[in-house]
Amino acid sequence: MSIHPIVILFAAIFTNNMILSNFLGMCSFIAVSKEIKTAYSLGIAVTFVITFTTIINYFIYYKLLVPFHLENFRFIVFIISIAAFVQLVEMLIDRYFPTLYYALGIFLPLITVNCAVLGVSLFMIIRDYNFMQSLAFGFGSGIGWTLAISAMAGIRQKIKKNKLPTGLEDAGITLIVTGIMALAFIGFSGIVQIQ
């Protein structure tokens, strides 16, 4: 049974969110979710990278690796294509949006090693998605990642105004809130679920 791309899109945003159900991409999620503007900007950059690297890796896998029986090289080839694409995006942001480039700092090149980006390409292969399903999954995963990091940034800005116990400051409270957000998103799992 083939899953419609729209179903995959909504499932990737809500029920199979890369951060809140797969816990992929947590390093930049925790580090950059202190301000809404920066978190949202990184989310847009991650969405852009995930969407286009999913397309690139789809064609690399099915047009190059599968015909030559080189499927076992997918990990290294996917990482190389992601790194090259992120380098291109980094140069474009530095050239045309220098303020955003400096706001994102080290986390922009770290999109290369964001496990959510690689995870989307690998899930696309594991779940045997066609091109439209892969495109919907990539875009939806990016939107879901942006939604989660933006929501976390908003919550952290509100929490920052309150006094917290020493052990819960910064990363501690972030992980607790992430767990609560994940529980909230589980409520969507009755609507649509993809595997």
Side-chain angles (χ1 to χ4, degrees):
M1 181 176 103
S2 180
I3 303 171
H4 196 278
I6 298 296
V7 173
I8 291 174
L9 175 75
F10 283 106
I13 295 170
F14 297 110
T15 60
N16 286 68
N17 187 293
M18 280 295 146
I19 290 178
L20 301 175
S21 71
N22 295 311
F23 298 101
L24 294 176
M26 292 296 290
C27 49
S28 53
F29 174 74
I30 292 171
V32 182
S33 63
K34 293 179 182 175
E35 293 181 18
I36 294 174
K37 185 177 179 184
T38 307
Y40 179 74
S41 299
L42 181 64
I44 296 300
V46 167
T47 300
F48 183 76
V49 169
I50 285 179
T51 302
F52 284 96
T53 56
T54 301
I55 294 167
I56 292 166
N57 288 337
Y58 179 87
F59 285 112
I60 287 173
Y61 186 78
Y62 287 108
K63 302 296 182 189
L64 183 66
L65 298 180
V66 170
F68 291 105
H69 306 290
L70 299 171
E71 296 92 340
N72 293 333
F73 290 102
R74 67 181 173 264
F75 293 100
I76 193 159
V77 172
F78 287 176
I79 290 169
I80 290 168
S81 70
I82 290 167
F85 188 77
V86 169
Q87 185 65 40
L88 176 67
V89 169
E90 184 181 0
M91 289 187 302
L92 290 172
I93 290 175
D94 184 24
R95 173 79 168 105
Y96 296 107
F97 306 102
T99 308
L100 176 60
Y101 180 78
Y102 290 112
L104 293 175
I106 190 67
F107 295 102
L108 187 59
L110 285 179
I111 293 174
T112 302
V113 292
N114 185 333
C115 29
V117 178
L118 180 60
V120 169
S121 292
L122 293 175
F123 282 140
M124 164 193 72
I125 301 304
I126 292 167
R127 295 175 180 167
D128 198 28
Y129 287 157
N130 63 34
F131 177 74
M132 289 308 293
Q133 290 173 323
S134 299
L135 179 62
F137 183 62
F139 184 65
S141 296
I143 295 296
W145 202 91
T146 303
L147 177 70
I149 196 169
S150 298
M152 176 57 76
I155 292 168
R156 284 180 79 176
Q157 281 189 330
K158 293 284 186 186
I159 289 174
K160 187 169 49 173
K161 298 175 183 174
N162 299 315
K163 180 141 178 68
L164 296 171
T166 307
L168 289 180
E169 292 174 351
D170 208 24
I173 195 69
T174 302
L175 291 172
I176 290 170
V177 171
T178 302
I180 294 169
M181 287 173 59
L183 287 172
F185 272 65
I186 286 175
F188 292 116
S189 64
I191 298 170
V192 63
Q193 187 75 19
I194 56 174
Q195 293 299 330

